Amino acid sequence: MAINKKENFKFSIVRHFGVLSTSSTGWTKELNMVEWNDTPAKYDLRDWRPDHEKMGRGITLSKNEMKELVELIDSGRVSDMYSNDFTEEFNAMEETGSGSGLYDDLTA
């Protein structure tokens, strides 16, 4: 268990599921089960420094929220964004600069 002295909170990664990506600085975006301040562990998706002593902002999900997320992904509705229609729409928005901000993260 680590204690962040500056923020005065405790956390413990109780299960590591995997790394989604690694930045050029070595930070990793990970899916873990994390206990925060001695509360029951929740699913947690965020960036971590290699030593896991410092983390970026992220999201925590309850078991029910994670179940809903998995069902949403499995339903195929999320993969629709990679269809030809989406690609054409995205390319047109990129060329015209008319994006609403929704797609900005995809090109960063």
Side-chain angles (χ1 to χ4, degrees), residues 44-58:
D44 186 84
L45 181 63
R46 72 182 63 244
D47 292 329
W48 289 90
R49 196 168 70 183
D51 63 7
H52 288 93
E53 292 296 319
K54 190 168 186 179
M55 78 287 294
R57 290 186 179 182

Side-chain angles (χ1 to χ4, degrees), residues 68-106:
E68 290 295 323
L69 177 60
V70 169
E71 287 176 6
L72 184 66
I73 292 169
D74 286 347
S75 74
R77 289 182 282 170
V78 173
S79 64
D80 289 345
M81 65 185 289
Y82 298 105
S83 69
N84 286 338
D85 292 340
F86 173 80
T87 303
E88 291 171 11
E89 179 184 349
F90 176 75
N91 289 338
M93 293 175 85
E94 188 176 48
E95 289 173 9
T96 63
S98 63
S100 65
L102 176 63
Y103 306 106
D104 293 344
D105 290 340
L106 295 175

